[in-house]
Amino acid sequence: MSQRIVCFGELLLRLSAPGRERLLQTPGLEVHIGGAEANVAVSLARFGHDAAVISTVADNALGEAAVAELRRYGVDTRHVRAVPGRMGLYFLSHGALHRPSEVLYDRADSAFARANDYDWEALLQGAAWLHLSGVSPALGAATAQATIDAARAARRLGVKVSFDGNFRGKLWQTWNGDAAAILRQIFAEADLLFADHRDIAVVLGESARAEGEHAVAEAAGHAFAAFPHLQWLASTLRTQHSVDRHTLSAVLASRDGSWHRAPDYELETIVDRIGTGDAFAAGVMHGLVEGMKPDELLHFGLGAACLKHSLPGDFNLVAREEVQALVSQAGFHVRR
Ligand SMILES: Nc1ncnc2c1ncn2[C@@H]1O[C@H](COP(=O)(O)OP(=O)(O)OP(=O)(O)O)[C@@H](O)[C@H]1O
Ligand SMILES: O=C(O)C(=O)C[C@H](O)[C@H](O)CO
């Protein structure tokens, strides 16, 4: 069994309009389970890792369904506790052409958002990595503190910290949270950051006017200077030609000054882009845990992200062999 990776974050129900419809255009919604950090755990479990989720769900049928869905894909859910309260929801309508996708959150005061009493020393026992994201601290003071506590405990215990910026402006606005001050404390504990120039600008109080690879490279330099524990910074590079046609690449920077860029992938008819950043994060972590070389692990992460664009739902339900086949250009023939 490979190294244990634990992911801390909220489990959510996604209620989405069918196809490309607007919300409630017809009276039906599709249900998927999501949550940025849980998405990473599912991907890692699919790649064969010992992946666990630490979370708090409502002690009702919705909480049970969310936990059951993680178990179905091999995620360890022993540290997901159920308490009285409500599950967080998000509504989604997929965009198309020139109409962007829209997310409507209904998650205020969820069981997860209220909780901050985690015994991190116990929960992190045996873990090699802790994965966190910017969604949890954006929910409110309790989860912001829980995320900071988790990152600090991990560092004390020698557990590596992975943090995905996942900036959610709508969530920060609901409670006027000081994103810069809170995220800075988490960035300070991270060994691995998934962040671009915009995430770094928020934390370092800079303005992020420029775009593209150079903007990320410059911001990465500032992040390595500001945060001495930081070893790697990875980011996707996305050019959007329309809502469902993108060019995707990715970059990886290391503390030793090396810079890697993966090839461009053309995504012509995107099925679902939610969770693609999480798929990238899981792919990069898989590569690091497996000891892949930087170019190889970056390409694997990008391949995983590309494949997620083909799948409805938040989870990237692909095996490592499928990602390998894509990055080694095995072609698109029907497998039979
Ligand atoms: N307004 C913003 N301020 C700061 N950072 C932002 C902002 N908007 C996006 N970002 C950051 O840019 C990066 C890329 O964002 P993007 O919306 O493309 O999501 P993703 O991480 O690729 O996909 P997903 O989160 O759906 O899995 C993320 O790290 C995100 O935190
Ligand atoms: O937006 C959020 O807070 C979610 O966690 C829902 C999705 O699963 C997430 O955005 C995917 O990264």
Side-chain angles (χ1 to χ4, degrees):
M1 188 52 98
S2 74
Q3 299 178 36
R4 181 170 171 82
I5 304 162
V6 300
C7 304
F8 168 65
E10 182 164 27
L11 302 180
L12 291 168
L13 273 78
R14 176 220 274 206
L15 304 173
S16 51
R20 304 280 154 167
E21 291 182 11
R22 303 210 89 147
L23 220 44
L24 300 178
Q25 187 177 335
T26 54
L29 292 168
E30 290 170 1
V31 185
H32 289 94
I33 304 301
E37 307 81 359
N39 297 343
V40 171
V42 167
S43 248
L44 286 166
R46 293 281 295 170
F47 294 151
H49 297 280
D50 175 8
V53 164
I54 299 171
S55 193
T56 302
V57 295
D59 63 351
N60 60 29
L62 301 182
E64 278 168 30
V67 174
E69 191 68 358
L70 294 189
R71 278 211 202 103
R72 178 177 172 201
Y73 296 114
V75 173
D76 174 354
T77 59
R78 279 174 300 165
H79 297 308
V80 180
R81 65 184 164 180
V83 302
R86 64 171 302 234
M87 287 300 287
L89 310 177
Y90 82 102
F91 295 87
L92 172 70
S93 60
H94 289 285
L97 297 172
H98 302 287
R99 176 173 56 83
S101 297
E102 283 181 75
V103 167
L104 173 67
Y105 288 121
D106 179 18
R107 63 198 294 182
D109 219 21
S110 65
F112 181 83
R114 285 175 165 207
N116 78 345
D117 52 335
Y118 296 90
D119 179 354
W120 291 112
E121 305 272 330
L123 293 167
L124 293 171
Q125 278 306 315
W129 281 90
L130 167 68
H131 178 73
L132 304 165
S133 101
V135 177
S136 306
L139 292 172
T143 50
Q145 194 55 52
T147 313
I148 294 168
D149 292 346
R152 289 185 178 157
R155 178 144 304 282
R156 261 197 323 276
L157 296 167
V159 176
K160 287 197 170 61
V161 178
S162 160
F163 183 69
D164 187 339
N166 267 344
F167 191 82
R168 301 284 185 262
K170 281 187 183 174
L171 296 179
W172 286 107
Q173 280 159 19
T174 58
W175 64 293
N176 261 326
D178 186 346
I182 292 166
L183 293 175
R184 178 174 256 278
Q185 295 175 68
I186 306 169
F187 272 42
E189 307 300 342
D191 297 273
L192 167 64
L193 262 184
F194 295 96
D196 71 5
H197 52 299
R198 294 170 296 175
D199 297 286
I200 296 164
V202 167
V203 169
L204 297 183
E206 297 164 347
S207 60
R209 275 189 294 272
E211 286 297 322
E213 184 176 356
H214 292 298
V216 182
E218 194 183 345
H222 297 167
F224 282 112
F227 303 111
H229 292 307
L230 183 62
Q231 301 302 321
W232 304 276
L233 184 143
S235 173
T236 51
L237 286 179
R238 191 185 289 276
T239 308
Q240 306 196 30
H241 311 289
S242 72
V243 168
D244 35 26
R245 194 168 76 80
H246 300 180
T247 303
L248 195 68
S249 180
V251 289
L252 176 72
S254 306
R255 172 158 290 282
D256 64 12
S258 67
W259 180 258
H260 307 267
R261 176 167 179 161
D264 282 354
Y265 278 78
E266 299 302 332
L267 305 168
E268 298 287 348
T269 44
I270 294 170
V271 173
D272 188 338
R273 68 162 286 190
I274 305 289
T276 56
D278 307 323
F280 175 66
V284 167
M285 291 178 80
H286 165 76
L288 280 172
V289 167
E290 295 284 301
M292 289 182 192
K293 294 201 173 73
D295 282 318
E296 192 189 353
L297 72 89
L298 178 63
H299 201 166
F300 188 92
L302 178 61
C306 286
L307 287 173
K308 171 62 197 67
H309 288 79
S310 73
L311 278 166
D314 293 38
F315 297 163
N316 194 23
L317 301 176
V318 301
R320 65 166 88 184
E321 294 76 15
E322 293 175 288
V323 182
Q324 289 296 357
L326 173 63
V327 302
S328 60
Q329 308 237 304
F332 303 115
H333 307 293
V334 176
R335 300 212 189 95
R336 45 179 144 219

